[in-house]
Amino acid sequence: MRKDPYKVLGIKHGASYDEIKKAYRELAKKYHPDRYQNNPLADLAEEKMREINEAYDELMKNSGGGYQYQSYSEQSYENSNASRGSTSGQYQYQYQQQSNSQSKQHSKSQYQYSADNDLEQKARSYINSGNLYEAQKCLDKMKNRNAAWHYLQGLIFLRKGWYDRGYTNIQKAYNMEPQNFEYRNALNNLNQQAAGYRQNSYYRNTHREPDMCNICLRLWCADSLCECLGGDLIGCC
Amino acid sequence: MFGYVEIDKPELKIREYELFRGYYCSLCKSLGRRYGQISRFTLTYDLTFLYVLLDALNSLPAGGKMQSCIAHPIKKRFVVNSNIFAEYTSDMNIILMYYNLMDKWEDERKLLGKTGTLVLRRAFNKAQRLYPKKAKNISDQLKTLSRIEKQGCDSTDEAAESFALIMSEIFNCDHIEGEVEKKALSWLGYNLGRWIYILDAYDDIEKDNEKSNYNPLLEQYKYDGKDIKEFKESIKDKVNFSLTYSLSEVEKAYSLLEIEKNKGIMDNILYSGLILKTDSVLQGKREMNEKRSV
């Protein structure tokens, strides 16, 4: 059964164009593949993203705002990314390609161990398909513990939920090759995820009432400022 | 180990707070009905959280009525009507508490542990019969945990794994049908269990050091016998990352669940209660005067 697009976006029937757009943006941010990197639930998030895109497309089509409507879900997705200042439109695909070509370059210029290279490629594809056991076996066979090795080992740990070791390994990869885009990106992402949760949580706590002391202090400040400018806020002092 | 999952009470609406308390009472009563009055003392907030979460996935409204109970005989309180999830959570509570007490007896020779296991023996047998596979998996993980602790494992990740898997097993409730939900719940449980284990380890550093008990953080960061406060301070950032990242994964799993009700309570715990608890433990603030019972 097809889901109600309004329900998917969590808005009321007859919501305005802006409301739909806002809800869509928030959800697209929530289920963005960046957030579900190295997460065993990435496929579920992807599915959710597809649902949201479909719902958004359907509502846009029906809203009559035809000139703003984009017919492909990928486009609307990209659009939301661009507005967030992110460059990762068709994220996973690009990312994959980039990282593959990068590691190929590395192998030619720096490392002579072709056996290690094969294992590295294999480990990569096992990690992508979620087969951590086989990926680990490949890594264990590699002789050269280079930056790529630490990076992949880090990814395996992250997938398993061993974040402490995952972080240490990825940091090591980054320290060994600070110019590598992939390692830097992964390290930044880890820090961002933790900080992001905190921020999101603190945001909810900022609505706490100021205490009496605070209110008095503010009033006194306001009064002083007014007096400086020649007026008066509180007559008695 | 238990009781770290809490609500951020000042931020809850009164009606949400009443509802949360109603869930707690419902679970307590369900324990009493199924396992006898004494088992009611074993109830923890962590399992109340699980009950609220599981029930949130079910679209039927949470009905309830005003009832009195032994703890509050005069004033009647709102109690949520018991359902399959209340029963499931109370069964899991018994299994968890029984093993917890047994662990206390075997590791630290605490008399409370022994008495507790004797008292809970019958209740445990009943719960075990209902969920033999779960009980077996939990018991296996606890054995692994105990082995790891005896070996003095120096990786917090590895030490936390067993408890995380236990929570994952418990959160992956048999009465939830959707595969998506089961997968998300299981990952949520894993990360919450990991958070509890590491938070508890950080909280107990001083105590474990004094009594020379095993503590993964003392092992991993090679405590050298100097000032313990300084040591705690020096590892704070690392522990903070590990804890916050685990919570961010809890939140990601939660985002994938179709929450039909109790959203206010769930959001309150997940976005506020857990991080507040993290900070209060990291900053060494123990709320001594806090009331334990709702």
Side-chain angles (χ1 to χ4, degrees):
Chain A
M1 198 186 77
R2 249 188 108 74
K3 283 185 181 169
D4 175 7
Y6 287 99
K7 202 184 167 212
V8 172
L9 294 180
I11 41 180
K12 281 182 193 137
H13 278 263
S16 71
Y17 175 77
D18 286 339
E19 279 169 335
I20 296 174
K21 211 164 173 178
K22 191 167 162 249
Y24 171 74
R25 274 218 187 120
E26 261 167 35
L27 288 174
K29 220 158 112 182
K30 204 169 169 181
Y31 298 109
H32 194 275
D34 270 4
R35 237 166 71 87
Y36 286 86
Q37 255 186 64
N38 308 312
N39 187 310
L41 308 176
D43 51 334
L44 303 184
E46 215 174 288
E47 179 59 32
K48 203 98 177 172
M49 195 75 215
R50 198 160 31 236
E51 255 177 39
I52 296 162
N53 280 332
E54 271 170 25
Y56 181 68
D57 283 353
E58 196 179 325
L59 289 184
M60 286 294 112
K61 229 186 305 185
N62 297 338
S63 72
Y67 60 100
Q68 266 152 333
Y69 165 70
Q70 289 149 321
S71 53
Y72 294 106
S73 41
E74 283 78 18
Q75 274 181 0
S76 49
Y77 182 165
E78 223 167 23
N79 183 33
S80 89
N81 278 327
S83 62
R84 281 175 54 225
S86 162
T87 49
S88 50
Q90 299 210 318
Y91 177 77
Q92 272 178 325
Y93 179 64
Q94 257 180 18
Y95 187 68
Q96 211 84 7
Q97 285 228 316
Q98 209 157 12
S99 58
N100 280 345
S101 65
Q102 217 162 37
S103 55
K104 265 179 207 149
Q105 272 171 11
H106 272 302
S107 57
K108 273 182 198 148
S109 58
Q110 279 176 293
Y111 310 117
Q112 302 303 316
Y113 302 107
S114 59
D116 271 11
N117 246 327
D118 280 354
L119 286 169
E120 189 193 314
Q121 291 307 323
K122 262 193 206 155
R124 237 174 229 282
S125 64
Y126 279 131
I127 292 173
N128 284 339
S129 64
N131 190 342
L132 300 183
Y133 179 75
E134 288 297 328
Q136 186 66 59
K137 271 209 323 217
C138 291
L139 284 195
D140 290 344
K141 277 189 220 147
M142 278 170 76
K143 290 190 184 72
N144 191 6
R145 304 278 149 111
N146 53 22
W149 185 88
H150 282 289
Y151 172 69
L152 294 177
Q153 183 64 72
L155 291 190
I156 295 181
F157 279 134
L158 290 177
R159 267 297 171 89
K160 270 173 79 174
W162 292 27
Y163 311 126
D164 195 43
R165 283 194 175 177
Y167 189 87
T168 315
N169 272 294
I170 285 181
Q171 199 171 31
K172 210 162 186 175
Y174 170 70
N175 288 341
M176 285 163 103
E177 279 178 31
Q179 74 286 1
N180 186 307
F181 161 80
E182 194 180 16
Y183 310 155
R184 195 178 55 216
N185 206 20
L187 191 66
N188 282 345
N189 189 282
L190 283 180
N191 287 323
Q192 228 168 47
Q193 294 304 317
Y197 174 76
R198 220 163 235 286
Q199 230 172 23
N200 202 355
S201 309
Y202 278 155
Y203 166 73
R204 282 161 209 255
N205 284 328
T206 48
H207 302 295
R208 291 200 194 281
E209 296 288 313
D211 55 11
M212 261 336 263
C213 212
N214 227 330
I215 293 174
C216 286
L217 189 74
R218 278 182 197 171
L219 271 176
W220 177 68
C221 281
D223 185 43
S224 300
L225 278 173
C226 283
E227 275 164 13
C228 281
L229 296 170
D232 200 5
L233 181 67
I234 305 165
C236 59
C237 68
Chain B
M1 189 79 82
F2 298 98
Y4 285 109
V5 180
E6 276 182 6
I7 47 168
D8 177 12
K9 196 170 153 188
E11 287 288 320
L12 264 188
K13 289 189 179 114
I14 290 179
R15 95 180 128 74
E16 286 167 342
Y17 177 66
E18 293 265 310
L19 186 61
F20 181 72
R21 216 170 57 175
Y23 273 105
Y24 183 85
C25 290
S26 162
L27 197 50
C28 184
K29 278 180 184 282
S30 163
L31 268 171
R33 238 184 354 260
R34 290 168 78 78
Y35 295 108
Q37 295 304 325
I38 199 105
S39 70
R40 295 171 75 169
F41 289 104
T42 63
L43 181 56
T44 63
Y45 277 126
D46 312 53
L47 270 297
T48 312
F49 166 71
L50 177 61
Y51 178 24
V52 180
L53 174 64
L54 292 175
D55 203 39
L57 302 177
N58 147 18
S59 56
L60 299 171
K65 49 184 171 292
M66 303 304 279
Q67 285 179 353
S68 58
C69 80
I70 311 180
H72 316 98
I74 314 230
K75 204 175 162 207
K76 286 195 173 178
R77 289 185 166 198
F78 177 73
V79 180
V80 172
N81 290 337
S82 170
N83 62 12
I84 183 90
F85 298 124
E87 288 172 4
Y88 173 79
T89 334
S90 48
D91 297 341
M92 289 301 124
N93 192 62
I94 292 288
I95 294 178
L96 212 51
M97 282 304 137
Y98 178 79
Y99 283 131
N100 185 35
L101 290 166
M102 202 154 82
D103 189 50
K104 278 216 170 81
W105 167 245
E106 278 172 2
D107 286 359
E108 301 165 38
R109 292 276 142 196
K110 271 192 183 153
L111 218 55
L112 175 75
K114 187 70 191 167
T115 352
T117 46
L118 289 175
V119 172
L120 284 186
R121 183 82 218 171
R122 275 188 58 192
F124 170 74
N125 282 339
K126 184 178 166 191
Q128 196 187 24
R129 263 202 308 279
L130 288 168
Y131 298 96
K133 225 171 118 194
K134 282 208 188 301
K136 169 88 172 45
N137 286 346
I138 293 169
S139 146
D140 285 350
Q141 285 307 331
L142 281 167
K143 275 184 201 134
T144 314
L145 180 60
S146 149
R147 200 189 63 233
I148 281 176
E149 291 186 344
K150 281 203 185 87
Q151 284 168 350
C153 167
D154 66 353
S155 159
T156 313
D157 285 335
E158 201 178 335
E161 170 105 338
S162 295
F163 190 72
L165 287 174
I166 290 172
M167 290 305 267
S168 168
E169 182 75 54
I170 288 175
F171 272 64
N172 186 2
C173 171
D174 296 352
H175 308 292
I176 297 284
E177 272 147 25
E179 277 309 306
V180 173
E181 279 78 15
K182 279 176 89 81
K183 210 173 154 191
L185 278 172
S186 179
W187 187 242
L188 197 160
Y190 181 94
N191 282 284
L192 194 69
R194 183 187 147 86
W195 175 80
I196 294 174
Y197 186 85
I198 298 176
L199 196 66
D200 189 54
Y202 191 83
D203 209 8
D204 284 348
I205 283 184
E206 281 110 336
K207 202 184 87 197
D208 287 339
N209 183 42
E210 260 168 45
K211 293 186 178 169
S212 13
N213 284 346
Y214 169 78
N215 186 308
L217 294 170
L218 289 172
E219 302 295 331
Q220 178 169 354
Y221 297 104
K222 310 275 176 273
Y223 174 57
D224 53 4
K226 286 190 196 137
D227 188 23
I228 191 83
K229 288 239 161 59
E230 253 171 50
F231 173 76
K232 266 187 110 163
E233 201 56 39
S234 70
I235 62 170
K236 199 162 146 184
D237 283 347
K238 293 237 171 202
V239 177
N240 180 21
F241 171 79
S242 205
L243 290 171
T244 330
Y245 197 87
S246 305
L247 288 184
S248 83
E249 291 288 301
V250 168
E251 189 269 331
K252 282 172 213 164
Y254 169 71
S255 302
L256 291 167
L257 292 168
E258 298 274 347
I259 301 293
E260 306 274 357
K261 58 172 186 282
N262 304 343
K263 195 168 183 304
I265 304 175
M266 299 305 307
D267 281 358
N268 175 279
I269 295 175
L270 284 157
Y271 291 103
S272 202
L274 296 178
I275 198 77
L276 277 179
K277 197 75 196 169
T278 312
D279 286 350
S280 85
V281 170
L282 283 178
Q283 283 153 19
K285 271 189 235 151
R286 294 273 207 116
E287 306 99 307
M288 300 303 256
N289 316 325
E290 212 175 66
K291 255 172 78 182
R292 298 300 307 167
S293 155
V294 231

